[in-house]
Amino acid sequence: MAAAGLKSTRAAICTSTQTRSAHVTIHNRACNLASKLVQFGSSPSLPKVAPLQSSSFFPCTLQVSKNIKTEAVKFSRKSTVVHASASENGAAPGLSIDLRGKRAFIAGIADDNGYGWAIAKSLAAAGAEILVGTWVPAMNIFETSWKRGKFDESRVLPNGSLMEISKIYPMDAVYDTPEDVPEDVKSNKRYAGASNWTVQELAECVKQDFGSIDILVHSLANGPEVTKPLLETSRNGYLAAVSASSYSFVSLLKYFIPIMNPGGSTISLTYIASERIIPGYGGGMSSAKSALESDTRVLAFEAGRRYNIRVNTISAGPLRSRAAKAIGFIDTIIAYSTANAPLQKELLADEVGNAAAFLASPLASAITGTIAYVDNGLHAMGVGVDSPAFSELAMPQAEQSKVPA
């Protein structure tokens, strides 16, 4: 029996040794497989794929030569699994709007409290060089205020520096060429001393001074009969609104695109009256904004195909600017928006400026022909919830503890 027991013990030891040997073999094969699958830097055994021809291409090959953490390899009769994970000691860098080396021309700045000014500040904060076009009759006042430091407080950028304007140009986007200017405008004392202010001449001057631009902003709108209902608007008043507020964008692109660098961006400003009834916003202005939005889509196609230029428009909510005050009921519109928009707060000019900076940046390289709504969400509403008709309807209310200060 002793011999039988010794034989049984030897058999058990042999079996155990074979089992360990089998485990070692499996382990070695698994490690060999892992070394083939996880190559440090490149994988010669895998077919090469040509990278996408895109400025925003992210390589799909993970470089793990210094960031591999191996975990314990567990063996079982069912499967053999090898785990490898990238190191977590380095987070992905955050996205930023970087417009350094870019030059922007903003048409339509006459003071420091409108959307044009806010867009200029946001572009400058992102690193862009700023050029400005100012309506001829407002040119002297704007330049004088700038030189005397009246805008210094509103020029402050997030990093504490002051926004700089490389050059201020006189302009009147209602006239395309010198031949289009009527004699009574040429002899008008408000235009005396100014030159090269038609769109064609303006583009030529910018080309002569700076060579090219990358960003074009249209912040222009005017309706001489804006306070009149549409039924009472004259033909001349209607056409003047369309000319100054929508065709001026077409004209600017026509003459500026030849000096825009490929990949450039153009942005205009529109308003919800283009698609919804806003009583009091008359004189053909609602029609002009509708035309501007339609032109945005068509120009996006034409400028994109021919020149690789993007064309977008921002539908901005109401702002208490000097131009808006001319309508006469801007405070009412702002109060209505605050009461009825999904976000119950007054819209800030900087919020529109930041949206424009995004649309002008490489982060929006695939966005064109788009209406970007920056209005606290008011465009999404179908009714005014402050109406007496909804007085008994339970409305979502903000939790007081979570309302921002």
Side-chain angles (χ1 to χ4, degrees):
M1 290 185 61
L6 178 61
K7 185 175 181 180
S8 175
T9 301
R10 288 177 177 174
I13 293 173
C14 181
T15 301
S16 176
T17 303
Q18 290 174 351
T19 301
R20 287 198 300 270
S21 177
H23 283 182
V24 171
T25 300
I26 294 173
H27 173 76
N28 291 338
R29 288 179 179 176
C31 291
N32 186 40
L33 176 61
S35 66
K36 290 181 179 180
L37 292 176
V38 184
Q39 297 291 332
F40 294 87
S42 62
S43 180
S45 61
L46 297 176
K48 295 182 178 180
V49 180
L52 296 175
Q53 300 301 312
S54 169
S55 60
S56 302
F57 170 66
F58 289 90
C60 59
T61 303
L62 178 64
Q63 301 294 325
V64 295
S65 59
K66 297 181 180 179
N67 297 314
I68 286 292
K69 255 193 338 187
T70 58
E71 298 178 2
V73 180
K74 299 181 180 179
F75 299 99
S76 69
R77 293 181 181 180
K78 294 182 179 179
S79 63
T80 301
V81 182
V82 178
H83 295 277
S85 62
S87 173
E88 298 176 358
N89 58 4
L95 294 175
S96 62
I97 296 177
D98 188 355
L99 297 176
R100 288 174 296 179
K102 305 296 184 181
R103 183 177 296 115
F105 183 90
I106 296 93
I109 296 181
D111 52 44
D112 63 343
N113 68 351
Y115 283 136
W117 178 270
I119 291 173
K121 280 187 64 177
S122 292
L123 295 178
E129 180 182 8
I130 304 299
L131 312 178
V132 167
T134 301
W135 188 42
V136 181
M139 177 79 172
N140 290 334
I141 297 176
F142 183 75
E143 274 194 318
T144 300
S145 298
W146 177 272
K147 292 176 180 178
R148 292 181 178 179
K150 292 185 177 181
F151 299 146
D152 284 357
E153 184 176 350
S154 55
R155 288 170 59 195
V156 179
L157 300 177
N159 65 359
S161 64
L162 297 180
M163 176 181 69
E164 298 294 342
I165 296 178
S166 295
K167 189 164 184 177
I168 303 171
Y169 292 87
M171 66 169 293
D172 191 331
V174 170
Y175 306 105
D176 301 325
T177 68
E179 292 73 27
D180 297 326
V181 183
E183 288 299 325
D184 62 326
V185 174
K186 291 180 181 179
S187 59
N188 191 306
K189 63 179 181 179
R190 296 192 300 171
Y191 287 77
S195 61
N196 300 320
W197 44 262
T198 64
V199 180
Q200 181 190 51
E201 294 172 301
L202 176 63
E204 291 173 351
C205 288
V206 172
K207 180 180 180 180
Q208 181 178 350
D209 294 339
F210 297 94
S212 63
I213 65 171
D214 303 277
I215 302 164
L216 177 66
V217 178
H218 176 276
S219 181
L220 299 166
N222 183 48
E225 300 179 18
V226 65
T227 58
K228 291 183 179 181
L230 187 58
L231 280 174
E232 298 176 15
T233 300
S234 69
R235 182 183 297 270
N236 287 337
Y238 183 97
L239 295 178
V242 173
S243 174
S245 308
S246 55
Y247 185 78
S248 56
F249 184 48
V250 178
S251 180
L252 280 171
L253 261 67
K254 175 182 178 181
Y255 290 104
F256 271 86
I257 272 185
I259 67 169
M260 291 189 71
N261 294 316
S265 173
T266 68
I267 301 166
S268 63
L269 291 167
T270 185
Y271 181 50
I272 193 64
S274 63
E275 51 187 288
R276 300 285 188 271
I277 299 170
I278 305 294
Y281 193 75
M285 282 300 301
S286 58
S287 305
K289 292 302 185 182
S290 294
L292 180 64
E293 293 177 12
S294 177
D295 293 342
T296 295
R297 292 184 284 269
V298 177
L299 292 169
F301 176 76
E302 295 181 359
R305 288 295 187 95
R306 295 177 63 183
Y307 302 101
N308 190 25
I309 299 296
R310 296 184 294 112
V311 183
N312 292 293
T313 188
I314 294 176
S315 184
L319 178 71
R320 197 176 285 101
S321 64
R322 187 183 69 175
K325 290 177 182 177
I327 301 174
F329 64 102
I330 186 61
D331 290 332
T332 301
I333 293 296
I334 291 175
Y336 176 87
S337 177
T338 303
N340 292 282
L343 299 178
Q344 289 186 284
K345 65 180 184 62
E346 188 167 333
L347 183 69
L348 302 178
D350 289 348
E351 293 173 310
V352 172
N354 293 339
F358 163 73
L359 288 173
S361 76
L363 295 180
S365 59
I367 301 177
T368 192
T370 295
I371 301 172
Y373 295 94
V374 186
D375 62 356
N376 287 328
L378 185 64
H379 70 280
M381 299 300 297
V383 297
V385 296
D386 62 347
S387 168
F390 296 98
S391 60
E392 297 182 2
L393 184 65
M395 295 293 173
Q397 299 294 329
E399 297 181 24
Q400 293 302 318
S401 61
K402 296 183 179 181
V403 176

